[in-house]
Amino acid sequence: MNQKLRVSRFFRLPVAALSATFIATCAYAQAPAVGTGPIHDRMQAARTNPELEKKLFVLGRKVAAVCANCHGDKGHSNTEEIPVLAGQNSDYLIEQSRKYIDGRRRDTFMQGVLKALSVDEIVGMSLFYAAQAVEPQPTQSAALVEKGKQYFGKVCVACHGADARGTAHMPRLAGQHPGYVLATLQHFKKRDGIRSNPEMESITQGMSEADMKAVAAYVAALP
Ligand code: HEC
Ligand code: HEC
């Protein structure tokens, strides 16, 4: 996304939220490996304590109001380059937040936003978005979807699941914007450091642009 578009969108956010976003400092620059650390511990605590889970969910809904200009009211963004967060798996959202914070995933704007959130706000927004319904994407070409289905069934299904809804640590792809999926696959393939994951980097080496477009159309069409 071009920087101008981001800035102009962001300036429409409430002033209080905007300043809060940039005042806080990065407390987790040295984030530990998957499944450990303060964010993970807080999520585990919420999972075993319904009252805490509810409290963090309500906080997450407030946080999501700050993200709504880009990610949509309930996590369904209307822009191809901005990922749908609705229905995304909460552990995946936490892990990506940590990756932005410690620099393993690069996007200057999103890194700044997530560094400014507290542990509770990150856990809360992950709970909130994971619980939102996924809205259907515009209809894709049937031939392209069929081609993508074949490819997905051979290469992607083992990790992302038959319904492309992922698992705790695997992202949901069903209902995601095809433009975002395509751009993400290209980053993995180029190994440009914007995204980093050994499995996805290796899988995309064998993908042509046409394969990527087909698979993106297929997963977008899934409920
Ligand atoms: C100015 C627009 C904008 C705002 C505001 C914004 N985001 Fe984002 N967000 C993006 C874009 C663009 C990406 C994709 C960047 C990339 O490719 O890494 C993204 C990616 C993400 C991802 C990764 C999703 C995935 O599927 O891997 C998460 C999580 C996220 N944003 C959470 C938030 C939260 C929480 C807020 C509010 C506190 C927020 N964003 C505010 C534009 C925005
Ligand atoms: C060996 C397991 C594995 C296989 C096979 C696999 N993936 Fe992934 N995929 C992952 C993991 C793990 C991530 C999270 C990467 C990260 O942390 O950035 C991921 C992330 C993604 C993302 C980013 C999602 C988001 O919201 O940003 C897309 C898109 C994706 N995979 C598409 C595919 C497609 C298409 C295929 C088949 C061609 C595929 N994957 C095959 C494990 C796999």
Side-chain angles (χ1 to χ4, degrees), residues 129-147:
Y129 283 125
Q132 304 309 308
V134 180
E135 287 174 25
Q137 293 284 353
T139 315
Q140 307 282 323
S141 136
L144 197 60
V145 168
E146 185 51 34
K147 188 176 172 233

Side-chain angles (χ1 to χ4, degrees), residues 92 96 99 155-156 159-160 170-171 180 195 200 203 215:
Y92 170 76
Q96 294 309 302
K99 282 189 153 186
V155 187
C156 325
C159 294
H160 291 281
M170 292 291 164
Y180 170 76
R195 296 290 299 252
M200 284 307 303
I203 280 153
V215 99

